[in-house]
Amino acid sequence: MSSSLMLSCETQKLSLTVMPSSTGFTSVQTWSCDGGCDISDKKLNTLKDRAREKIQMAHSLSVGGGGYVCPLLIREVFIQVLTKLQVCFVQCFSEADRDIMTLANHWNCPVLSSDSDFCIFDLKSGFCPLNGFQWRNVNTIKGTRDRYIPAKCFFLDALCCHFGIMNKTLLPLFAVLCGNDHVNLPVMETFLSKVRLPLGAANSKGRRHHRVLGLLNWLSRFADPTEALDSVLNHLPKKRRGTVKELLCRSMEEYVQAQGRLQDFFQHGAYTCPDTWNPGLPPWVLAALARGQLSPFISDALVLRRTILHTQVENMHRPNAHRISLPIRQVIYGLLVNAPPHVRNVAWDALPPQPPTFSEVERINKNIKTSIVNAVELPKDHSDLSKLTELSLASRQMLLLETLKVKQSLLDPVPAALKLPVAVSCYWVQHAEATLKLHHLQALLLGMLLGPLRAMASSPEEKAVRGGGAETLYAELQRVKAPPGTRLDLDTAHVFCQWQCCLQMGLYLNQLLSTPLPEPDLTRLYSGSLVHGLCRQLLTSASVESLLRLCPEAQQLYEHLFSATRSCAPAELFLPKGKLNSKRRKQKKSGISWSENRVGTTLNARSWHEGSNPFELLMVETLENEEAPELK
């Protein structure tokens, strides 16, 4: 079955549009997880709040508590899966919600999403919340071989009927009064404080649940949004009414259909979006963003000169893991600084003359701060972003490898699919903290064998030529994986988080340079449970040699990977433990710190300064049984 998808990435929101099939059931059509930040920055405070929440969840997970933090490269992995499945998709330039609604209504299909904002949008074929799917309950249609998964579908008309055939155009006002991603005015508490809660109900469902029901019942009395808005403003101080009205009206526009024709992308491979920013980016950049070949990280840096670095499950007592990849980001920023003048005019020319700098929102302990980062000054032949793709392959590859501090000759024995990960690993071992140990490097490289081993094991000559060695080793590596619930070694976790940050920025730089090195298969490149399990094995009983003796071909590949990275690693990494401790004592005695002997101390020069789903209650099954509070 042919499918097409739409995506946009800024947070981890997931949205899909599904098109009815001839059987009356559906096939996946579009996907979105919210794209680059809007140039108006209307969601900046929301994004910062979410970043703080992620830090708290990451900390909870790091000490054995609960929570959920998406892997750093989840977007890139998902795009690769879509590409392998030959699913067409488009990446939106910024907020995707209105585009999704417009496309879904054009195709007459429902939207699948975890974002409760779609409870407010007027979708012809409804909204299916992802948590309403019974994924493990696969059913067969009687008398056929067709199968389906039961799910719930939310219709706006049904909600409005429940509240006395309420005018659906009132729901955007309801959304902004409740407080959404775009508006959360403290002054609105003056109005919301008028809600009268029935006795006993607040204890059973909570104040927020009551507020939702109260607002819906109150709004159902009005014929249209204008009448309701006037009533809201009458509850506010006169001096605030004009400002509040302007903000509420502007926020309500977020729930109307977009003017863009996203369907054009699926027919012609390109589309325009007049509702979002149109900063005159080079055509190749716009095309690469729409196809998901460039990350929203790039568009945020290019248009806003600001990026958000997402926290992983790492050691919160150490500097955040993204600091290790700062030099790579500075090169990326250096390439983006050289955008054509008509691009820079959008957000930069309004500022007084200043050195090219970018803002990074990142973790500091268990909070966030905004750091100011200088872009690297690059050679003149990289001075025009619009002509970056015209540079020779050799020039683009040289810039990539110089940034990663690795020589081309070291990568010659490495298979093409692993050249970029190995180059990133060379950078990693040169910049990592003192907590990086030999068994960390060994575990990482052994994990990289998983993809090649799977290919070997599935080849026809596996048993005839290799005697089943690849299949046996693959099974052994699967067995080594750390089971769920295993206590996390924070130092080990932090080291591997640093590697993932290096890989992420190495990928982004490689993409910006039009992939002078082949993009690796991320779906089989790294497994956290495997590398953590291998670390435990290598520290106790197992050795690399004992594992690899099962498959000589894998052993030879490992030796190529290890040889390349060893050439870049500091000698201390390979010292026996006793000698390493002795060297550290000598350094301490002479007043030399371990970090001063390491590569990548540019962080010291940096200057620093401060820089949920609101409508999910609409989907509760008990809504119709609730006693509605009154708002007068």
Side-chain angles (χ1 to χ4, degrees), residues 37 44 63 84 167 172 213 262 281 287 397 506 547 607:
C37 298
L44 180 58
V63 295
K84 287 180 183 178
N167 185 344
L213 294 178
L262 199 58
L281 294 177
Q397 193 174 91
L547 282 169
S607 59

Side-chain angles (χ1 to χ4, degrees), residues 553-565:
E553 290 86 351
Q555 184 173 12
Q556 184 180 30
L557 175 56
Y558 174 85
E559 288 171 356
H560 289 321
L561 306 184
F562 186 77
S563 176
T565 49

Side-chain angles (χ1 to χ4, degrees), residues 101-109 124 257 261 263 267:
M101 176 188 71
T102 305
L103 185 63
N105 285 339
H106 177 78
W107 282 347
N108 290 314
C109 59
K124 295 178 183 178
Q257 289 204 153
R261 290 176 52 85
Q263 61 269 23
Q267 295 174 346

Side-chain angles (χ1 to χ4, degrees), residues 427-471:
Y427 174 93
W428 173 62
V429 296
Q430 294 176 73
H431 291 73
E433 297 176 351
T435 49
L436 174 63
K437 303 293 190 299
L438 177 59
H439 66 274
H440 294 141
L441 174 60
Q442 292 172 326
L444 179 70
L445 299 180
L446 284 170
M448 290 184 190
L449 300 181
L450 211 57
L453 280 171
R454 185 182 176 91
M456 291 181 202
S458 59
S459 65
E461 63 269 18
E462 162 62 6
K463 291 188 178 178
V465 178
R466 303 186 188 94
E471 188 175 357

Side-chain angles (χ1 to χ4, degrees), residues 302-314:
L302 183 55
V303 178
L304 299 174
R305 287 176 81 166
R306 188 198 64 236
T307 57
I308 297 177
L309 306 177
H310 297 287
T311 301
Q312 303 175 81
V313 182
E314 56 193 65

Side-chain angles (χ1 to χ4, degrees), residues 17-176:
T17 353
V18 295
M19 182 170 288
S21 68
S22 57
T23 61
F25 290 88
T26 54
S27 60
V28 173
Q29 290 295 313
T30 71
W31 180 76
S32 163
C33 73
D34 252 356
C37 298
D38 190 283
I39 194 170
S40 68
D41 256 357
K42 58 194 172 189
K43 285 183 63 174
L44 180 58
N45 289 334
T46 298
L47 294 175
K48 286 185 174 182
D49 288 342
R50 288 176 180 170
R52 293 185 185 95
E53 291 171 3
K54 287 180 182 177
I55 290 172
Q56 296 306 317
M57 284 192 284
H59 171 65
S60 174
L61 287 166
S62 70
V63 295
Y68 182 78
V69 175
C70 288
L72 190 64
L73 294 170
I74 188 171
R75 170 197 168 272
E76 286 70 29
V77 170
F78 189 77
I79 287 179
Q80 286 194 355
V81 171
L82 296 180
T83 303
K84 287 180 183 178
L85 295 175
Q86 297 183 323
V87 175
C88 299
F89 64 90
V90 57
Q91 176 173 274
C92 291
F93 298 134
S94 59
E95 283 286 323
D97 292 1
R98 295 175 63 196
D99 289 311
I100 291 173
M101 176 188 71
T102 305
L103 185 63
N105 285 339
H106 177 78
W107 282 347
N108 290 314
C109 59
V111 169
L112 281 63
S113 178
S114 58
D115 184 0
S116 61
D117 263 328
F118 286 104
C119 290
I120 307 301
F121 286 106
D122 188 8
L123 295 163
K124 295 178 183 178
S125 298
F127 158 53
C128 300
L130 286 174
N131 59 7
F133 282 78
Q134 302 174 30
W135 299 109
R136 299 184 185 277
N137 184 15
V138 180
N139 291 267
T140 302
I141 303 174
K142 190 174 181 180
T144 73
R145 292 185 178 181
D146 294 327
R147 294 185 296 175
Y148 67 94
I149 298 171
K152 298 175 183 178
C153 194
F154 179 91
F155 288 91
L156 208 58
D157 288 337
L159 175 69
C160 292
C161 285
H162 178 73
F163 289 95
I165 316 181
M166 180 172 61
N167 185 344
K168 65 177 69 175
T169 61
L170 289 162
L171 288 174
L173 177 59
F174 160 76
V176 297

